[in-house]
Amino acid sequence: MNTKIIRITFLSLFMLLLTNTAGAHGINIIPKPLKCELKERKGFTINSKTKVIYHPELASQASLFVDYIYAPTALKLNKTQGHKPEKNSILFALDNSIDNEEGYNLTVSDKQIIIKSKSAAGAFYAMQSLMQLLPPEIESKQLKEIDLTVPVIFIEDAPTFKWRGAMLDVSRYFFSKEFVLKYIDMMSLYKLNTLHFHLIDDAGWRLEIKKYPLLTEVGGFRGEGENRTGGFYTQEDIKEMVAYAEARGIVIVPEIAFPAHVLSGVVAYPWLSCREEQLKVLTQHYISKDLICPGKQTTIDFLKDVLEETCELFPSKYIHIGGDEAVYQYWNNCPHCQKLLKEQGLEKSSQLQGYLTNLVADMAAKHNRTIVGWDEILERGKVTKPVVSMIWRNMNNLDHVYNQGHKAVLCPTSHLYFDTPESRLPSEIKAATWLAPISLEKCYSFATEKFEGDSVIIGLQAALWGDQFIFGTLLQELDLLDENRSENYVEYLMLPRLMAMSEIGWTPSQMRNYEEFFPRVLNHFKRLDNAGFTYRVPSPDVKHTKVDEGYMIELSTPLDNATIHYTTNGERATPYDKLYTAPFQVNQLSDVRAVTALTKTHHSVPTFFTENYDAYKQYGTFAKRVRYNEVTDQNTVDLTGKINADGEYQITIVALTDGVDVAIGEIEIMKNNDKTSGTAINSIIADKPVSGKFIISEWQAGTPYSAVMKLNAGQNNRGNIAVFIKKL
Ligand code: ACM
Ligand code: ZN
């Protein structure tokens, strides 16, 4: 064997060992690149002489890079158009030989950095990988001491799915243009490429349409007097957002919702609906039954006009038309709708939705656009034009897509609805309690393997609904979210789950592993701190061991810059409580509460040893514990998420301990703040459980439900009770 061969063999072995080193050796890129060969930790250092050389089509990305470096360092790199790498340069080059439209190669040597991509989006993603090879302070907007050394590395990368989306609902809560740009920044950190912009719903119309000014002047606002809130985006705002997103590899897909979820439009122009009543924009979450009326030519003209202005503003190939959660009672009773139904030879009013979908799909095709709709669109009459179904309710709804030759984007409530809480911990953010919690791990576990390479499945998307932000509902105080609460809520709900969404959309299944992903997520928290984003901090891990008189408690956190604080009297823990330094002993597990704190205002929700209610399983789901000193004649039990369909329910109150002496009278069941049902128990709770039944009709997803119980404690009451709820 000659030495040359030996050298090549050793080199290949070395290369093999170094392939796919993301996660190891401190390479923490999210989403994990397809191929990542780290050669040396120390490599190229960006300095004041480093030149940025760029292809003219990549001017925006080169400028963004210069700005990104400048913000925390005050180092203004020179840039110049060109095609050849030089010593001490960063080259942004186009390379048509790269297969994937969004793919890129990033080569760092000790002399220069070369970025090759097929498109501007690819160049942007390469730049984001490069940013993630620099220290986390590079994300800061303030001056910092930063070592601008990038390791010697070769990355070859491309996404698995074409549509890697995040939805933002700006109707239920109006987010400022500045916040939308920040949301785009957040998406861009993780190479997402589609912002699904939910601009219209019952609670507000946010898109200026010049031909119908009342849509925003009237439909953009709700409430009276000092409770009046709202706003909208001018067409100039939209152009700015579209350009801002485009420079970051992101397309904005607008959603023009119909036939339901459009009360704000109907309030502005009552002739859009069947009833033509002058209604008000909703101030509580509720899904209006006032659909737009497909039986009138004025409605069709309206859709055509709105679509035309929308297509002028948004270059996106796709336009979302909503289509979810319509009920057809007003169509059933409308002469215009019924006349159309007969003319079209249809049997049911719901099929008129399919008629409308086809009509708008045709209109969109004239603008070279394809329509996207929530998965109901393929169930309401026959859709003959090719459309994209956004699968949200149930993955089985994909059957229609395959059987009828359409395409799909997957946005299942089970894994990708980020308005859900991450856990069932008692102090956890309430958000969309009508769905089960979705932890980071659950989101990351979404099984995409069988869809990878499937030409029908365009991609994946996370949803962030705003119905919990609407004035007067569930938005609760969390210490860390005091200022700009609603905006901080969004960040808290999106991060870190957006990182999981990013990786399942980008990195093939066989390269994904949660144990390897989670440390990278933790590593990114410092980036988020620097970039000014709020995120959910994991609660401390707890180990307990039984000892003679109680339990030894050991607390830990994987965060190297966090402290743990705890209480041992069952009271909520805060970062001002006792600092954890060593294991300690308690009598009962339920005495312990502990938080992980990054700062006094940024901390986790407290860990909790939940009481075990298994003995009461026959009464259904646990809803509330009322301690002996908490008995009042207006005791509210949150039932959101526990009432989750129409039907008959049983509410049961049990004594958890001895010494209970509580009288219970009426129980009112509230939907939002209005009584919707009720039951009267009129009994004493002592050692036997007491129950009452009630009926729920017209249940609506996302709407808060509660029970208000009239309780009265006897003089000697010293026991605790609990409330359970069961669907019969
Ligand atoms: C939806 O969540 N109504 C699509
Ligand atoms: Zn009608």
Side-chain angles (χ1 to χ4, degrees):
M1 209 187 273
N2 71 34
T3 50
K4 202 168 164 193
I5 293 175
I6 294 175
R7 248 193 299 133
I8 290 169
T9 312
F10 268 116
L11 196 65
S12 332
L13 193 67
F14 184 60
M15 294 291 280
L16 198 69
L17 286 172
L18 292 174
T19 298
N20 276 320
T21 45
H25 313 291
I27 302 298
N28 288 290
I29 296 172
I30 296 177
K32 186 175 179 169
L34 273 189
K35 188 167 167 193
C36 192
E37 293 168 1
L38 178 71
K39 313 230 166 104
E40 274 171 60
R41 217 26 258 168
K42 277 281 169 193
F44 179 79
T45 303
I46 299 171
N47 59 33
S48 59
K49 303 241 163 52
T50 306
K51 199 152 71 168
V52 174
I53 305 172
Y54 61 93
H55 186 284
E57 286 175 33
L58 305 177
S60 300
Q61 289 67 39
S63 289
L64 272 179
F65 182 68
V66 169
D67 293 348
Y68 282 6
I69 297 296
Y70 179 74
T73 62
L75 198 64
K76 193 90 195 168
L77 301 179
N78 280 319
K79 63 184 164 68
T80 170
Q81 272 190 29
H83 302 280
K84 289 217 169 66
E86 295 173 15
K87 201 158 174 248
N88 196 8
S89 76
I90 301 172
L91 174 71
F92 286 79
L94 281 181
D95 182 349
N96 263 325
S97 72
I98 292 173
D99 280 345
N100 190 306
E101 198 58 36
E102 296 176 288
Y104 69 88
N105 294 345
L106 169 65
T107 313
V108 181
S109 73
D110 55 3
K111 297 197 178 48
Q112 80 262 109
I113 298 177
I114 299 174
I115 287 171
K116 289 185 179 172
S117 65
K118 192 165 188 170
S119 65
F124 182 78
Y125 304 143
M127 184 179 112
Q128 288 297 50
S129 291
L130 179 55
M131 292 289 283
Q132 292 189 20
L133 292 169
L134 286 162
E137 291 76 18
I138 200 67
E139 304 291 347
S140 177
K141 304 287 178 287
Q142 280 149 15
L143 280 183
K144 300 262 165 145
E145 277 289 318
I146 308 177
D147 174 3
L148 293 176
T149 303
V150 189
V152 174
I153 199 165
F154 173 68
I155 295 177
E156 189 178 337
D157 203 7
T160 302
F161 289 103
K162 281 204 173 106
W163 179 309
R164 303 177 306 282
M167 191 205 83
L168 181 64
D169 173 0
V170 293
S171 170
R172 273 60 172 275
Y173 179 86
F174 177 66
F175 293 98
S176 66
K177 178 186 75 183
E178 290 68 31
F179 183 75
V180 176
L181 299 182
K182 193 180 180 201
Y183 191 86
I184 291 169
D185 282 338
M186 175 169 68
M187 291 173 62
S188 78
L189 283 176
Y190 297 109
K191 305 188 177 92
L192 271 76
N193 68 356
T194 307
L195 168 59
H196 169 182
F197 208 12
H198 187 75
L199 285 157
I200 288 148
D201 213 303
D202 295 324
W205 184 293
R206 309 298 180 198
L207 174 64
E208 182 189 31
I209 299 290
K210 301 262 197 218
K211 194 156 184 187
Y212 300 96
L214 299 185
L215 288 173
T216 41
E217 282 171 28
V218 173
F221 297 85
R222 62 175 178 255
E224 311 291 337
E226 62 183 30
N227 289 331
R228 191 155 174 78
T229 60
F232 62 89
Y233 310 113
T234 64
Q235 296 203 345
E236 286 310 303
D237 290 337
I238 295 288
K239 285 178 196 157
E240 187 183 335
M241 292 174 190
V242 166
Y244 190 88
E246 189 186 330
R248 288 155 181 80
I250 295 172
V251 174
I252 304 185
V253 175
E255 180 177 347
I256 309 297
F258 70 85
H261 288 287
V262 63
L263 177 70
S264 53
V266 167
V267 170
Y269 296 104
W271 48 260
L272 281 170
S273 70
C274 298
R275 295 197 295 160
E276 304 200 354
E277 265 187 36
Q278 181 60 63
L279 302 164
K280 284 188 175 168
V281 181
L282 295 183
T283 57
Q284 290 276 305
H285 176 61
Y286 178 76
I287 303 166
S288 172
K289 298 193 177 93
D290 276 278
L291 312 184
I292 57 167
C293 174
K296 289 186 278 192
Q297 186 56 38
T298 42
T299 308
I300 307 302
D301 292 343
F302 172 85
L303 287 174
K304 182 165 164 285
D305 295 339
V306 169
L307 189 71
E308 199 162 297
E309 286 194 38
T310 304
C311 287
E312 263 169 37
L313 288 169
F314 295 93
S316 163
K317 177 176 159 197
Y318 298 106
I319 306 287
H320 202 300
I321 59 158
D324 55 327
E325 298 180 299
V327 292
Y328 305 97
Q329 72 184 56
Y330 294 125
W331 285 6
N332 287 336
N333 299 324
C334 168
H336 304 290
C337 286
Q338 292 309 307
K339 179 162 174 275
L340 178 65
L341 190 96
K342 284 214 184 70
E343 282 168 9
Q344 294 298 318
L346 302 173
E347 285 160 13
K348 291 187 291 191
S349 294
S350 60
Q351 292 167 330
L352 287 173
Q353 182 169 338
Y355 164 83
L356 211 48
T357 303
N358 286 324
L359 210 65
V360 176
D362 269 343
M363 290 177 193
K366 295 209 171 77
H367 298 279
N368 278 326
R369 315 299 172 97
T370 300
I371 60 166
V372 183
W374 297 106
D375 59 26
E376 288 96 325
I377 62 165
L378 297 183
E379 288 179 359
R380 311 292 149 97
K382 180 130 186 71
V383 173
T384 51
K385 318 289 167 191
V387 299
V388 178
S389 175
M390 194 165 261
I391 306 295
W392 69 285
R393 294 171 301 166
N394 187 322
M395 294 291 282
N396 293 335
N397 291 335
L398 267 178
D399 292 349
H400 302 296
V401 177
Y402 285 109
N403 296 341
Q404 299 171 26
H406 300 290
K407 303 225 185 261
V409 170
L410 311 178
C411 181
T413 53
S414 55
H415 291 77
L416 296 177
Y417 263 44
F418 290 174
D419 49 327
T420 50
E422 276 207 38
S423 80
R424 288 191 199 280
L425 288 172
S427 320
E428 183 61 271
I429 195 165
K430 286 206 184 72
T433 40
W434 62 283
L435 293 168
I438 300 175
S439 65
L440 179 69
E441 187 168 4
K442 171 93 193 271
C443 172
Y444 196 76
S445 75
F446 183 47
T448 57
E449 189 164 8
K450 65 173 187 260
F451 307 121
E452 291 168 9
D454 179 337
S455 63
V456 168
I457 308 295
I458 306 176
L460 315 179
Q461 182 174 290
L464 199 285
W465 292 100
D467 35 300
Q468 310 303 320
F469 305 95
I470 196 169
F471 181 76
T473 57
L474 288 174
L475 201 62
Q476 73 252 253
E477 299 291 349
L478 285 186
D479 305 347
L480 66 162
L481 303 180
D482 271 349
E483 288 172 43
N484 304 319
R485 273 188 333 153
S486 301
E487 286 74 8
N488 285 341
Y489 253 51
V490 169
E491 294 173 22
Y492 182 90
L493 288 165
M494 293 299 282
L495 294 166
R497 287 183 290 195
L498 192 68
M499 297 184 209
M501 163 65 223
S502 153
E503 195 146 305
I504 61 179
W506 185 284
T507 312
S509 300
Q510 83 269 13
M511 285 179 61
R512 300 200 306 256
N513 169 342
Y514 186 76
E515 275 64 46
E516 183 274 330
F517 169 69
F518 188 59
R520 281 186 284 127
V521 169
L522 298 177
N523 177 279
H524 271 242
F525 286 173
K526 287 185 189 141
R527 275 176 199 278
L528 298 178
D529 289 333
N530 279 290
F533 289 105
T534 293
Y535 52 91
R536 185 182 184 280
V537 178
S539 302
D541 295 320
V542 188
K543 266 203 222 141
H544 63 274
T545 351
K546 184 89 188 83
V547 290
D548 280 350
E549 289 165 28
Y551 297 88
M552 279 307 285
I553 302 291
E554 194 180 338
L555 302 171
S556 61
T557 170
L559 290 168
D560 59 13
N561 56 341
T563 50
I564 297 175
H565 303 261
Y566 68 99
T567 60
T568 53
N569 58 0
E571 300 280 326
R572 184 179 173 173
T574 74
Y576 294 93
D577 285 309
K578 191 165 178 178
L579 178 70
Y580 175 80
T581 51
F584 57 90
Q585 192 174 335
V586 288
N587 294 333
Q588 293 182 44
L589 290 176
S590 58
D591 290 343
V592 182
R593 303 282 184 272
V595 291
T596 302
L598 287 164
T599 66
K600 290 286 184 250
T601 53
H602 195 181
H603 56 85
S604 71
V605 295
T607 44
F608 234 92
F609 287 95
T610 40
E611 311 268 354
N612 187 337
Y613 294 113
D614 283 356
Y616 308 101
K617 263 207 304 248
Q618 76 255 41
Y619 304 118
T621 312
F622 169 77
K624 186 178 186 182
R625 183 176 74 145
V626 182
R627 285 158 64 104
Y628 69 96
N629 57 354
E630 292 166 351
V631 173
T632 67
D633 66 355
Q634 286 271 314
N635 209 299
T636 302
V637 184
D638 185 6
L639 297 179
T640 314
K642 299 187 172 76
I643 290 178
N644 45 24
D646 282 347
E648 191 177 15
Y649 289 80
Q650 174 181 277
I651 189 161
T652 303
I653 299 128
V654 306
L656 291 174
T657 59
D658 290 341
V660 171
D661 176 15
V662 175
I664 176 155
E666 243 183 283
I667 301 180
E668 295 189 325
I669 306 297
M670 314 294 282
K671 177 179 179 181
N672 282 317
N673 295 324
D674 301 321
K675 181 172 173 183
T676 183
S677 186
T679 180
I681 294 185
N682 296 324
S683 174
I684 303 281
I685 310 155
D687 45 358
K688 281 208 187 64
V690 295
S691 293
K693 291 178 183 169
F694 62 90
I695 306 268
I696 291 294
S697 54
E698 302 198 6
W699 174 81
Q700 287 191 327
T703 307
Y705 285 85
S706 58
V708 180
M709 309 187 296
K710 215 178 240 273
L711 298 179
N712 196 345
Q715 277 203 340
N716 295 322
N717 180 49
R718 56 189 163 75
N720 302 332
I721 60 177
V723 184
F724 293 82
I725 179 118
K726 182 176 182 178
K727 186 159 189 299
L728 297 174

